[in-house]
Amino acid sequence: MERRGRGPRGSILPAGVPARLSRSAAFDQLALSAFSAIDAEWHDRLTKMDLAVDDVPRISARNPRSVVWPPEVVADGAVPLARLIPAGLTRDGRPTRARLVLFRRPLELRARKPEELMLLIHDVLVEQVANYLGVTPEIIDPTLRED
């Protein structure tokens, strides 16, 4: 709708149109795209791991000034970006699968452009998959950027 000659406001595409994705759906697609390249090479060793996305981390540093994260957490200072939850057992003894969880909002806030977000997601996934497999990140992706 055009008001007072200022041009259309809001999205041009209506909410129900398939071409319009929510931010979380767009992030999910980026994450799957970044993971597919890793999975193509390492699929046989990743069959017992799930990929998940949470909007925000449910973990926090006890002391943000001197935070030391365990190896299963990839963080930017005191802000976790991803977490690898190892396979284990539920309280009633049922087995669980390993789960790699990306935290959408912290990752989005660290990238200015979609291309930067894709590279950041890729780097975090490489680090987490390397941790899961017990290898260095350079083995998962020899072209890993040094920042």
Side-chain angles (χ1 to χ4, degrees):
M1 170 185 259
E2 207 171 308
R3 294 158 119 175
R4 299 184 187 99
R6 294 187 207 151
R9 294 191 174 228
S11 177
I12 295 175
L13 296 172
V17 176
R20 180 177 172 196
L21 293 176
S22 66
R23 291 179 90 173
S24 62
F27 184 90
D28 291 350
Q29 282 189 349
L30 280 176
L32 286 173
S33 178
F35 186 71
S36 68
I38 297 167
D39 186 56
E41 184 73 24
W42 298 93
H43 179 74
D44 293 344
R45 298 195 51 201
L46 299 176
T47 57
K48 296 184 181 191
M49 184 187 76
D50 296 327
L51 179 64
V53 174
D54 277 349
D55 285 338
V56 294
R58 293 187 183 120
I59 55 174
S60 61
R62 290 185 181 152
N63 182 354
R65 291 187 197 126
S66 63
V67 63
V68 177
W69 292 104
E72 64 268 5
V73 175
V74 174
D76 181 14
V79 180
L81 304 177
R83 181 177 184 190
L84 177 63
I85 302 169
L89 297 174
T90 62
R91 289 182 185 168
D92 60 352
R94 288 182 293 151
T96 62
R97 293 167 52 95
R99 188 171 60 228
L100 192 164
V101 182
L102 297 172
F103 302 123
R104 181 176 68 87
R105 292 296 296 145
L107 287 164
E108 285 177 338
L109 291 172
R110 280 153 183 77
R112 292 184 201 112
K113 302 177 199 169
E115 301 83 31
E116 290 176 7
L117 181 57
M118 181 68 159
L119 288 172
L120 179 58
I121 291 170
H122 172 78
D123 290 353
V124 168
L125 286 171
V126 166
E127 195 167 332
Q128 290 292 54
V129 168
N131 184 18
Y132 175 74
L133 297 177
V135 298
T136 63
E138 293 78 21
I139 289 177
I140 302 300
D141 182 2
T143 66
L144 190 63
R145 300 175 301 130
E146 295 286 330
D147 289 330

